[in-house]
Amino acid sequence: FLQLCRIISPNFTLYTEMIHCNALVYNPNDLFNFFGEPWENKVVQLGGSDPEALAKAAMLVQNNGYKELNLNVGCPSPRVQKGAFGAVLMKSPPLVVEIINTIIKAGVSIPITVKCRIGVDNLDSYEYFHDFIKLVSTSTPVTHFIVHARKCWLKGLSPKQNRSIPPLKYEVVHQLAKDFPHLTITINGGFNTTDHIKEQLGLVDGVMIGREIMDRPMFMAQVDAGMLPHMYYRKGSHSFPSSIDTSSI
C-alpha cells in the first residue's frame, strides 16, 4: 500500500504499519517483508513495552537503512492491551522515557518520534497530557509528537469505535503546540478535506491522514493539488507537513 501511495505522490511522509518489536528480534532477516524497501520519507512504526527488545529492534531498523523510527503509544487494540504496549504506555510515562533512552544508548542515532492520543481512560485531563509531553521531551531527545486528537478507552470500545466515538478535540493539540513552540506537533484525526488541512497547518506543524487515505488513496492527489503552494518543511526535518499512516490509533 505504501508503494501505491508513493506512486500517487512523493510529497508525503509515509508511516508503516506498527509491528511489535519481538517480530523483528525473532525474525531479523525479514524486515523488508514487514516494512518494504527503506525510503527517505518512510518512517518505521514500532510497538512494544520491553526497553531492551525495542532497542534491539530499533538497531535492526537503523542497520537496514531506514531513516526514522516512531514509537506508537496510542494504539488501543485488545492485542496491545494484552501485551501492555500501545496506548497502555500513556499510563506509564517513565517507562516511555526508559524505552527511548534505552534505544539511544544501544546506538540508535536516527530520529525517533512518538505517536500518542490526548488521553487514555480517565487520564484525560490536559494537565496529564501536558505533563506526559513535557516529561518525554525533557528526558529524551524526542522533539516530534504525532497526536491523535481523541482520547481512547482501553475497555468497552473496539479499535474502530475508538476512531469515532471519543470526540475529536483539536483545540487540545493546538494548545499543546502553543505551550511547546520548540517541539514539532503533528495532528491526526478526521481530516478529509484540503481546506481543513490548510486550516490546521496554521496552528500546528503537520497533519497526519490515516483512514481517509486507506479508504480513498487518490485523496493524496487532491491534497497535492490543493496544498502545493502552501507546502513548507517541518521544523527539524526535510519532509512535507502532510503524512500518511497505514495503521490506526
Side-chain angles (χ1 to χ4, degrees):
F1 183 76
L2 290 185
Q3 182 67 51
L4 172 64
C5 291
R6 193 184 187 204
I7 292 170
I8 294 171
S9 172
N11 297 324
F12 291 80
T13 299
L14 302 175
Y15 284 66
T16 71
E17 182 179 3
M18 179 182 67
I19 300 294
H20 193 281
C21 59
N22 286 347
L24 276 62
V25 172
Y26 297 141
N27 302 278
N29 298 318
D30 289 345
L31 265 69
F32 289 178
N33 292 330
F34 291 127
F35 305 124
E37 297 288 331
W39 309 322
E40 192 67 32
N41 283 8
K42 180 184 285 187
V43 180
V44 169
Q45 198 173 173
L46 289 182
S49 58
D50 181 337
E52 295 297 334
L54 276 160
K56 292 177 183 177
M59 281 298 295
L60 286 168
V61 168
Q62 176 173 279
N63 291 343
N64 278 272
Y66 299 95
K67 304 300 184 184
E68 189 170 330
L69 180 68
N70 177 263
L71 178 65
N72 187 311
V73 300
C75 179
S77 76
R79 179 171 59 90
V80 305
Q81 293 178 49
K82 185 177 180 181
F85 63 104
V88 178
L89 289 175
M90 284 199 72
K91 294 186 171 185
S92 303
L95 178 55
V96 176
V97 169
E98 181 184 355
I99 288 169
I100 295 166
N101 285 333
T102 301
I103 290 173
I104 293 166
K105 288 177 183 176
V108 173
S109 58
I110 59 175
I112 301 171
T113 64
V114 168
K115 190 163 167 236
C116 62
R117 295 264 184 157
I118 60 172
V120 56
D121 293 340
N122 291 321
L123 298 174
D124 59 356
S125 69
Y126 181 72
E127 290 74 21
Y128 184 85
F129 179 47
H130 176 281
D131 289 348
F132 173 85
I133 299 296
K134 181 179 180 180
L135 179 67
V136 175
S137 65
T138 58
S139 304
T140 78
V142 171
T143 60
H144 183 192
F145 294 84
I146 302 96
V147 183
H148 189 150
R150 287 185 175 96
K151 66 175 287 182
C152 67
W153 288 103
L154 295 178
K155 303 295 183 183
L157 294 181
S158 68
K160 182 177 181 180
Q161 290 172 322
N162 263 310
R163 294 194 297 268
S164 59
I165 291 178
L168 284 162
K169 295 185 177 181
Y170 296 132
E171 68 277 7
V172 172
V173 187
H174 300 161
Q175 186 61 51
L176 187 76
K178 290 179 181 177
D179 290 344
F180 297 92
H182 58 290
L183 299 179
T184 299
I185 304 299
T186 294
I187 195 168
N188 172 234
F191 299 109
N192 55 19
T193 70
T194 299
D195 286 343
H196 200 185
I197 294 169
K198 286 181 184 177
E199 176 188 5
Q200 293 301 310
L201 290 177
L203 299 165
V204 294
D205 300 296
V207 175
M208 174 174 278
I209 314 164
R211 189 55 46 182
E212 191 67 21
I213 299 298
M214 296 291 287
D215 294 340
R216 291 196 302 140
M218 289 306 297
F219 180 60
M220 296 176 68
Q222 290 180 235
V223 175
D224 259 358
M227 294 297 300
L228 199 57
H230 303 270
M231 286 292 191
Y232 65 91
Y233 289 97
R234 289 194 322 225
K235 293 182 293 187
S237 74
H238 298 289
S239 54
F240 285 104
S242 295
S243 52
I244 305 301
D245 180 26
T246 55
S247 65
S248 298
I249 60 169

